[in-house]
Amino acid sequence: MAYKYQYDSDTDARAYKPPQLRTNRSMWKLMLLNILTLGIYGIIFFIPFSFDLDKIAPRKDHGRTMNYLYAYIISLFTFSIVLMVWYYHITVRVEDALSERGIPYDFSTSDFWGWYFFGAFIVVGPFIYFHKLCKAMNLLCEHYNQNPITP
């Protein structure tokens, strides 16, 4: 028995709109809820973050972001070294995506080294890094929601 489809594939392909990505990521919400939930909200925050980054990041790097949950679990045994490497890699991917999409926002690996890594000695450095990361990702998601085609 042959099935007959009741739609025109060309019309449906043009009518398809990808789901809208979140544009309301906030460092304050991340830090506050992460403290209140004893670290569980950080996992819930960064899992969709990595999936969204895979949608937005340029296809030329042929990379996929490691799932945050895997990095978090492995970091328990490596004294958080794997988590620091994970943050560095997403910084590189966000920086590349910002430049590919032509978004004029200053976020780069120097922010990772300056604020996240060395800024930890002055305590407020990681807060500034996460604020810049959330803002960069919000800008990328806004741009993606308006122009879903990856350059």
Side-chain angles (χ1 to χ4, degrees):
M1 177 179 193
Y3 292 101
K4 190 154 185 131
Y5 295 106
Q6 299 295 325
Y7 61 89
D8 181 19
S9 62
D10 292 336
T11 306
D12 289 340
R14 281 181 268 145
Y16 173 75
K17 302 269 191 234
Q20 298 288 301
L21 301 181
R22 286 184 47 206
T23 59
N24 63 348
R25 290 179 174 91
S26 167
M27 182 273 304
W28 294 109
K29 182 178 176 184
L30 170 64
M31 293 302 162
L32 180 66
L33 291 178
N34 202 27
I35 291 168
L36 291 176
T37 61
L38 302 176
I40 294 174
Y41 184 75
I43 296 169
I44 294 169
F45 180 86
F46 279 112
I47 288 175
F49 187 97
S50 62
F51 291 140
D52 290 349
L53 186 57
D54 284 341
K55 290 177 191 166
I56 294 169
R59 300 282 182 223
K60 68 178 181 179
D61 70 356
H62 302 291
R64 294 191 54 98
T65 307
M66 175 191 253
N67 192 321
Y68 183 78
L69 185 59
Y70 298 146
Y72 184 82
I73 291 170
I74 294 170
S75 74
L76 296 174
F77 302 107
T78 61
F79 304 106
S80 295
I81 293 172
V82 171
L83 214 49
M84 287 187 358
V85 170
W86 189 86
Y87 286 128
Y88 179 78
H89 283 290
I90 64 165
T91 302
V92 169
R93 293 198 76 200
V94 167
E95 178 184 13
D96 290 345
L98 285 169
S99 67
E100 283 291 320
R101 290 185 175 268
I103 299 172
Y105 183 67
D106 184 35
F107 183 75
S108 65
T109 53
S110 62
D111 291 311
F112 170 80
W113 290 112
W115 290 119
Y116 183 78
F117 190 76
F118 293 115
F121 296 114
I122 60 170
V123 181
V124 297
F127 293 102
I128 295 171
Y129 168 76
F130 284 119
H131 171 72
K132 291 185 77 147
L133 178 66
C134 289
K135 184 167 182 181
M137 195 62 179
N138 286 339
L139 290 171
L140 283 170
C141 288
E142 278 180 30
H143 190 274
Y144 178 84
N145 288 340
Q146 294 168 359
N147 310 311
I149 305 300
T150 303

